[in-house]
Amino acid sequence: MTLATFSTLYYTFIHILPFSCLIFYTFRTQLRWGVLPTSSLYLLLLSGEVLVQVQFPNAFNQQLSLLLQLLYILYPLLTIKAFAGKVLAISLLTLPLAFLTLSLARIAEAFFPTTIPYLTANLVITVIILSFIYPTLVYIRQVLRPLIAVQEKKPWLYLAAYELVLIFIVLLIDPWHQTLAPRVLISRFLLLVANIACVQIMVYLCQSINARDYARNLLNSLQVLQEFERQRYADIMERWRSSRRLRHDLQSHVLTVLALAKASSQQELKCYLQGISDSLGSKNNMK
């Protein structure tokens, strides 16, 4: 294998493989067939592109690459167990970064050409990926991972449609990644910024919905607690009123007994006490 062929093969892998790995990393717990079968089949697809690209040892076929990128975007829909709109929306987030990287590599290749095809582009793409890999992983863990827990379908469909429109507009400016005009680089940078901004808006809306649901649940809990405390207070007041009646009745009985005892009415006292005893007995039987 010549150095030129190796450089072309490396360019074939480096321009798409890292971005696809970010997609699978985001959904690493939702792979339909597991890590090994999913990655093996993906590498098989990528190897098919490599076999075709080596037919052009002195040039990388951008048209073919762009068409195959659609296959790489559709592949996660088959291998990830999640709503298709959600997978598509996350997958399309990698395209702006891939487009921007390709534009920077293309510019570097034009200004710093070498005898080995795509050597400068390979170095530029590698440096960019190594620079972006850590902040991208942090963004996935802190923003995308909590966001993909959203089960509603409409927000994901809206996000995917928004991304597709923006990508289509950018591709109209330079569909084959060949123009070196500054407007192309600026449009692809703005595409990346617009996608990140849209995701942040979705995060804000989801957080607002969660906060509203939390406030509603908290209010319901407070209402339940208030009702419990009201019932408890009513029970305490009822027991207090019952105890007051018992004290009043006991005081009345004691005064009556004392009055009968002073009047030496033994027979009436016995009858009165017997009546109290019968009354208490009937109340106990009722309980």
Side-chain angles (χ1 to χ4, degrees), residues 141-161:
R141 288 194 296 265
Q142 295 183 357
V143 178
L144 294 185
R145 286 294 299 171
L147 187 62
I148 62 176
V150 177
Q151 299 300 323
E152 295 185 28
K153 296 182 178 180
K154 283 187 178 181
W156 293 109
L157 292 177
Y158 292 151
L159 178 59

Side-chain angles (χ1 to χ4, degrees), residues 9 13 18 22 51 58 60 76 93 102 108 118 144 148 150-151 165 173 189 193 201 217 258 260 269:
L9 293 178
F13 276 93
L22 292 176
L51 293 176
N58 297 321
F60 183 80
L93 287 176
L102 287 174
Y118 292 101
L144 294 185
I148 62 176
V150 177
Q151 299 300 323
V165 170
I173 300 175
F189 177 76
V193 173
I201 292 173
N217 293 333
L258 289 175
L260 292 175
L269 181 58

Side-chain angles (χ1 to χ4, degrees), residues 246-263:
L246 289 174
R247 288 197 301 269
H248 180 270
D249 294 343
L250 180 60
Q251 184 180 13
S252 176
H253 291 318
V254 170
L255 292 176
T256 303
V257 170
L258 289 175
L260 292 175
K262 288 181 180 181

Side-chain angles (χ1 to χ4, degrees), residues 63-79:
Q63 292 86 345
L64 176 64
S65 175
L66 181 60
L67 293 176
L68 289 176
Q69 282 185 19
L70 299 177
L71 178 61
Y72 298 137
I73 292 296
L74 294 177
Y75 180 73
L77 298 177
L78 177 65
T79 58

Side-chain angles (χ1 to χ4, degrees), residues 177-226:
H177 314 295
Q178 295 177 345
T179 304
L180 301 179
R183 69 177 186 277
V184 175
L185 183 63
I186 294 174
S187 66
R188 297 189 175 193
F189 177 76
L190 292 178
L191 173 62
L192 178 63
V193 173
N195 277 11
I196 294 176
C198 186
V199 171
Q200 292 302 125
I201 292 173
M202 185 173 174
V203 170
Y204 172 76
L205 293 177
C206 291
Q207 290 176 345
S208 300
I209 293 173
N210 292 336
R212 184 188 62 189
D213 293 340
Y214 175 79
R216 184 187 298 112
N217 293 333
L218 180 61
L219 180 60
N220 292 336
S221 300
L222 291 176
Q223 290 175 345
V224 171
L225 181 61
Q226 183 182 15

